[in-house]
Amino acid sequence: MTSIGGAGTSGMVDWNLAVATATRLVRPGPEVSRDEARAVVAELRRHAKASEEHVRAYTRMVPEGHEPPDTPVLVVDRAGWIKANVAGFRELLTPLLGKMQERRSAVPGSAVLGAVGGKVTGVELGMLLSFLASRILGQYETFAPATRDLPAGANGAGRLLLVAPNIVHVERELEVSPHDFRLWVCLHEETHRTQFTAVPWLRDHLQGEIQTFLAATDVDPGTFVERLREAAQTLAGGRPEGEEGEPAPSLVELVQSPEQREILGRLTAVMSLLEGHADYVMDGVGPQVVPSVAEIREKFQARRARGASRLDLALRKLLGLDAKLRQYRDGERFVRAVVDQVGMDGFNRVWTSPNTLPTKSEIAAPADWIARVHRKADS
């Protein structure tokens, strides 16, 4: 097993145990022969390369003659996705977990409790990742430390992951053209890659917001671990609601203090923009290169809205994934409304600086963003 970024057993989370647990528990992928698997991987790589040109031409985010930094495209299985995300989580959460570790170190016997607690939390995190690993089709990892098995872009740039077994599973479930569906997924993920490679300040801006949010977190370590335990118990069939039958708060809601609400609002707006823009682009490019895009979108939207079991819905709430689904919808409406009013080049002013990003209220009222950014700039 590959060690994740050094000493995997240090601190409040045993990261290596999280990888081992998730890899052991994750559901097996769809049955494919070795030749079929090779063909899927090869086609996804071809589609990822083709999507790069399609997205650049449609979005006009990359000026002619300019070549943004290259980032790797990796076709992975579910275990590969788990390893990559544990490395990313560790990168982002180290300041928060270090802060919790300092608080707990003042408790008598904390060294023994910390060693045991780190393993327990590693197992619980692994259980959550095993759930997510069978659901993610693709992902642009913005904060992706390179590991021995998983390269990343230079100077901390990201990497694009395409999770082959999940893509095959969904295309079979929806009964759509595999060729078209794979290209459609690649268009969405390539849009995310273009967002971060064509807008040099975006990664550092997001990282700064996230680290400020985490630095302001003041949560008892036991409470944080208990929230992970509730999520893990949900996976095992335990009751996900609180004592009064209300849904348990999500992990994001748990670590939110009054000082963090403003930051969280800005992060929500940015993520809505990024997700909505990717949905808009994949559907905008689609008719040119994906013959069955209308069928795919209709079936995929129905699948999103339908969700799965009560267990699935409970975990989406606990992990904040229900908010992510709203981001796709709200962000796409924002992008569509702005492009309809001021065109693609007018929309692209959104990438000028952090000051031209939409606020959370502007995501819901695109005319307010147009008034602020366009009329002020043009006056």
Side-chain angles (χ1 to χ4, degrees):
M1 180 181 66
T2 302
S3 178
I4 302 298
T9 58
S10 62
M12 292 187 64
V13 181
D14 186 331
W15 298 102
N16 287 340
L17 185 56
V19 171
T21 301
T23 303
R24 185 176 70 252
L25 296 179
V26 70
R27 298 174 183 173
E31 290 187 12
V32 294
S33 68
R34 184 170 297 181
D35 288 343
E36 286 175 314
R38 289 196 186 110
V40 170
V41 170
E43 185 172 30
L44 286 172
R45 286 176 176 157
R46 289 195 304 271
H47 285 333
K49 184 63 178 175
S51 295
E52 187 175 343
E53 293 305 317
H54 294 316
V55 169
R56 289 185 185 184
Y58 188 79
T59 64
R60 299 202 286 273
M61 290 179 66
V62 180
E64 192 172 343
H66 175 74
E67 190 63 28
D70 189 33
T71 54
V73 177
L74 308 178
V75 181
V76 298
D77 58 11
R78 291 170 177 175
W81 181 88
I82 288 166
K83 290 179 182 178
N85 276 265
V86 167
F89 286 158
R90 179 169 186 164
E91 185 92 344
L92 278 179
L93 291 177
T94 290
L96 173 62
L97 296 178
K99 184 178 179 179
M100 291 183 182
Q101 184 71 22
E102 287 179 7
R103 289 184 61 174
R104 193 167 66 179
S105 64
V107 178
S110 61
V112 174
L113 290 173
V116 174
K119 292 187 179 300
V120 171
T121 309
V123 169
E124 290 164 345
L125 178 60
M127 293 177 72
L128 293 177
L129 287 168
S130 71
F131 167 79
L132 294 172
S134 63
R135 285 158 172 78
I136 304 298
L137 302 182
Q139 174 185 4
Y140 184 75
E141 277 201 295
T142 314
F143 314 106
T147 68
R148 187 177 64 191
D149 301 327
L150 296 161
N155 301 318
R159 58 183 167 229
L160 177 59
L161 304 179
L162 297 168
V163 191
N166 296 349
I167 293 172
V168 171
H169 171 78
V170 174
E171 70 192 25
R172 290 179 179 179
E173 178 186 325
L174 298 181
E175 297 181 333
V176 295
S177 162
H179 173 85
D180 286 3
F181 184 75
R182 293 166 194 175
L183 178 54
W184 189 70
V185 170
C186 287
L187 289 169
H188 181 101
E189 303 308 331
E190 179 57 40
T191 302
H192 286 315
R193 186 169 177 244
T194 298
Q195 289 163 348
F196 284 94
T197 56
V199 184
W201 54 264
L202 184 57
R203 178 188 182 276
D204 289 343
H205 172 70
L206 260 183
Q207 185 173 36
E209 293 277 58
I210 292 170
Q211 291 304 334
T212 302
F213 179 88
L214 293 177
T217 297
D218 186 18
V219 62
D220 176 71
T223 305
F224 185 81
V225 170
E226 180 60 28
R227 185 61 68 237
L228 280 177
R229 184 167 294 114
E230 287 181 14
Q233 288 171 348
T234 300
L235 280 173
R239 187 166 179 263
E241 293 85 10
E243 289 300 321
E244 303 301 321
E246 293 296 322
S250 72
L251 291 171
V252 171
E253 291 169 333
L254 175 71
V255 299
Q256 183 187 167
S257 66
E259 296 81 6
Q260 293 170 297
R261 288 185 185 132
E262 186 176 341
I263 302 172
L264 191 60
R266 293 197 299 267
L267 283 171
T268 299
V270 174
M271 297 312 298
S272 296
L273 170 70
L274 298 180
E275 296 294 357
H277 183 236
D279 264 13
Y280 178 83
V281 171
M282 74 193 296
D283 286 345
V285 175
Q288 307 167 38
V289 296
V290 182
S292 60
V293 64
E295 177 194 3
I296 290 172
R297 166 55 75 187
E298 181 181 358
K299 290 184 174 181
F300 194 77
Q301 288 285 56
R303 182 180 187 271
R304 261 187 194 168
R306 186 171 63 248
S309 63
R310 182 172 177 274
L311 169 64
D312 196 43
L313 294 173
L315 275 165
R316 284 182 180 183
K317 167 63 180 173
L318 190 59
L319 299 173
L321 299 182
D322 53 344
K324 186 174 179 65
L325 294 178
R326 289 194 299 274
Q327 288 169 4
Y328 286 107
R329 182 184 63 246
D330 297 344
E332 196 273 342
R333 287 174 181 166
F334 170 84
V335 175
R336 185 172 300 281
V338 172
V339 174
D340 285 347
Q341 288 293 312
V342 298
M344 185 64 77
D345 291 332
F347 166 78
N348 281 340
R349 289 192 186 182
V350 79
W351 312 116
T352 304
S353 76
N355 293 329
T356 56
L357 291 171
T359 64
K360 189 176 180 180
S361 64
E362 287 171 342
I363 288 287
D368 291 350
W369 180 86
I370 294 172
R372 178 172 67 85
V373 173
H374 278 264
R375 292 174 191 167
K376 183 183 293 185
D378 296 339
S379 60

